[in-house]
Amino acid sequence: MGDVSSRLGCFNQRPQNCRLALPITFIAAPFKINIETGQWADFATGDAGGDPVSLYAYLNGLKQGDAARALCDHWGYTMQDNFSTLSRKKWLLHNGRAGRSLGGENCSINDLEPTLTTTLIVLAHPEPHSFNGAWASATQKACEAMGDTVLISDLVAMNFQPVERANNYPHLPSNHHFDALKAQEEAAEQDMLPDDVGREIVKLLRADRVIFHFPIWWFAPPAILKGWFDRVLAHGALHTVERRFDKGHFLGRKALFCVTTGSNEEESAFNGREGDIHMLLWPTAYTLRYLGFSVAVPEIVHGVHGYHHGARKEALEERLVRALKAQTELISEFDRRPLIQFNADEDFNANGRLKSDRPSYSQFIRKAS
């Protein structure tokens, strides 16, 4: 099919009954856009995305930030608006059901097609042949079997550098007092975020759902995953004071943790001596909630360690095989999986305290005793 530029077909007419055409050119088939969701895919190259920002960036060879600014200017918004939601609304407002006539013979746009899904798998484990690695591979195969576009971030294999520090930002003066939030915000505004961070942000922006695979080490996820959150969830790029929680950038997108513990299920219960696994995972889940994600109830496999022998080792191996086989069904039922409940923004008063008449869903945010 040639490169993108050779397959561009200009679109200069406004669709019937639409106030304004989206300011992009359209690509000849095999290129599809779901005008209900804004998701798109170029089947000739394997590129895909989940919103008009990524589409505009792809077609015009722009970075995500530049594409967002261009569309904000065109649609009359500022970068402080909740652009993820607004862009989808504008997409529907301006292109709507009339999208069937947008491209004529030069573009295959079908709002009746099944929704294209992009899944990002984030793996945080140093051993590729571990159960965690095999579990992530099972997730990938299950997603691909359903027709998903799958993106992979194997943090150890890609040698991701998890420590946020001043030398990640070479544009800062050498004697500069390092403030991580301000450095991230300034770099995001100037499109100068570190390359490794930028690549991960693009994956997140493309993803409709994110599935994390990791073990629990010392009652928490591995440090490399915490560092990925510290650096990739950059202030000014993926969240601001105005764009968080109920107004977060990733509203409508889902995340799931696939977790292993060394402790058994009883020890990981609410009254177990290893601590309630759901409470141990809550801060990580709330990090994603801060960005607007809905977070599914985690999938947990207990008792995964190398100290089993004899019959216990055989029993563990059988359990792990069953878990790998069950991943296909888990992925097929992903959208029906129950979600972790969090308080809404309106549940808190002006000082950020939980209102007395609102429910508490976690011991981390609880009512006065």
Side-chain angles (χ1 to χ4, degrees), residues 64 193 243 247 272:
Q64 291 282 328
L193 286 167
R243 292 171 54 208
K247 298 178 182 178

Side-chain angles (χ1 to χ4, degrees), residues 39-42 45-50 54 58 116-118 149 151 206:
Q39 293 174 305
W40 59 271
D42 186 345
T45 65
D47 291 287
S54 60
Y58 175 67
L116 300 166
T117 300
T118 298
T149 296
L151 310 174
R206 289 181 60 185

Side-chain angles (χ1 to χ4, degrees), residues 127-141:
E127 175 50 62
H129 300 295
S130 65
F131 172 71
N132 281 270
W135 201 4
S137 295
T139 296
Q140 179 180 357
K141 292 177 182 178

Side-chain angles (χ1 to χ4, degrees), residues 274-342:
E274 294 279 349
D276 184 343
I277 182 60
H278 295 283
M279 285 194 68
L280 297 180
L281 290 171
W282 192 91
T284 308
Y286 204 61
T287 299
L288 297 172
R289 155 65 179 154
Y290 189 94
L291 298 179
F293 277 100
S294 297
V295 184
V297 172
E299 185 71 11
I300 304 170
V301 178
H302 296 282
V304 181
H305 58 76
Y307 292 91
H308 295 290
H309 300 284
R312 293 181 62 183
K313 181 179 180 181
E314 292 178 3
L316 172 64
E317 291 173 348
E318 290 176 0
R319 280 200 300 117
L320 298 186
V321 169
R322 289 197 299 270
L324 294 178
K325 291 181 178 179
Q327 198 68 359
T328 298
E329 181 178 0
L330 184 151
I331 295 301
S332 68
E333 297 292 320
F334 187 92
D335 289 335
R336 287 180 283 277
R337 192 174 185 86
L339 302 176
I340 299 174
Q341 288 187 292
F342 298 109

Side-chain angles (χ1 to χ4, degrees), residues 22 24 31-42 46-59 64 67 71 75 83-92 114-120 148-151 201-210 249-254 293:
L22 189 69
I24 60 173
F31 191 99
K32 291 192 176 183
I33 303 170
N34 186 312
I35 64 171
E36 290 289 345
T37 65
Q39 293 174 305
W40 59 271
D42 186 345
D47 291 287
D51 56 54
V53 177
S54 60
L55 174 59
Y56 191 77
Y58 175 67
L59 294 181
Q64 291 282 328
L71 289 177
W75 283 333
F83 194 75
S84 176
T85 301
L86 292 173
S87 61
R88 292 171 187 261
K89 289 181 178 178
K90 281 289 183 178
W91 176 275
L92 295 175
T115 299
L116 300 166
T117 300
T118 298
T119 299
L120 170 60
D148 288 10
T149 296
V150 179
L151 310 174
I201 287 177
V202 168
K203 292 178 188 177
L204 276 171
L205 291 174
R206 289 181 60 185
D208 303 292
R209 60 187 179 192
V210 185
H249 182 88
F250 293 94
L251 287 176
R253 309 194 200 189
K254 294 183 180 179
F293 277 100

Side-chain angles (χ1 to χ4, degrees), residues 44-336:
T45 65
D47 291 287
D51 56 54
V53 177
S54 60
L55 174 59
Y56 191 77
Y58 175 67
L59 294 181
N60 294 280
L62 298 175
K63 294 182 178 180
Q64 291 282 328
D66 292 336
R69 279 185 281 273
L71 289 177
C72 278
D73 290 343
H74 184 85
W75 283 333
Y77 288 105
T78 69
M79 289 294 283
Q80 282 69 47
D81 289 315
N82 183 1
F83 194 75
S84 176
T85 301
L86 292 173
S87 61
R88 292 171 187 261
K89 289 181 178 178
K90 281 289 183 178
W91 176 275
L92 295 175
L93 175 64
H94 296 319
N95 296 318
R97 294 286 179 177
R100 293 186 186 87
S101 64
L102 281 177
E105 296 179 355
N106 289 328
C107 184
S108 176
I109 299 179
N110 189 344
D111 61 336
L112 301 180
E113 288 283 331
T115 299
L116 300 166
T117 300
T118 298
T119 299
L120 170 60
I121 298 172
V122 180
L123 171 62
H125 197 286
E127 175 50 62
H129 300 295
S130 65
F131 172 71
N132 281 270
W135 201 4
S137 295
T139 296
Q140 179 180 357
K141 292 177 182 178
C143 290
E144 290 175 343
M146 293 180 62
D148 288 10
T149 296
V150 179
L151 310 174
I152 304 291
S153 287
D154 185 341
L155 303 187
V156 176
M158 59 197 275
N159 198 28
F160 183 79
Q161 198 286 103
V163 180
E164 183 65 302
R165 51 191 172 188
N167 63 7
N168 292 332
Y169 303 90
H171 65 283
L172 295 176
S174 58
N175 61 348
H176 182 78
H177 175 78
F178 181 63
D179 183 317
L181 288 181
K182 290 182 178 179
Q184 290 178 353
E185 182 178 31
E186 180 181 311
E189 289 176 351
Q190 298 178 11
D191 221 357
M192 297 180 67
L193 286 167
D195 289 343
D196 58 345
V197 169
R199 287 190 293 269
E200 296 304 291
I201 287 177
V202 168
K203 292 178 188 177
L204 276 171
L205 291 174
R206 289 181 60 185
D208 303 292
R209 60 187 179 192
V210 185
I211 301 177
F212 296 86
H213 283 270
F214 59 90
I216 290 294
W217 288 350
W218 288 114
F219 312 103
I224 196 169
L225 182 57
K226 177 59 166 65
W228 186 85
F229 283 129
D230 291 345
R231 296 191 61 215
V232 174
L233 308 185
H235 182 63
L238 298 184
H239 65 92
T240 65
V241 173
E242 294 80 19
R243 292 171 54 208
R244 56 181 180 155
F245 296 120
D246 287 352
K247 298 178 182 178
H249 182 88
F250 293 94
L251 287 176
R253 309 194 200 189
K254 294 183 180 179
L256 169 68
F257 301 147
C258 292
V259 180
T260 60
T261 69
S263 56
N264 63 43
E265 187 171 2
E266 294 296 322
E267 292 173 318
S268 303
F270 71 95
N271 57 352
R273 65 179 176 183
E274 294 279 349
D276 184 343
I277 182 60
H278 295 283
M279 285 194 68
L280 297 180
L281 290 171
W282 192 91
T284 308
Y286 204 61
T287 299
L288 297 172
R289 155 65 179 154
Y290 189 94
L291 298 179
F293 277 100
S294 297
V295 184
V297 172
E299 185 71 11
I300 304 170
V301 178
H302 296 282
V304 181
H305 58 76
Y307 292 91
H308 295 290
H309 300 284
R312 293 181 62 183
K313 181 179 180 181
E314 292 178 3
L316 172 64
E317 291 173 348
E318 290 176 0
R319 280 200 300 117
L320 298 186
V321 169
R322 289 197 299 270
L324 294 178
K325 291 181 178 179
Q327 198 68 359
T328 298
E329 181 178 0
L330 184 151
I331 295 301
S332 68
E333 297 292 320
F334 187 92
D335 289 335
R336 287 180 283 277

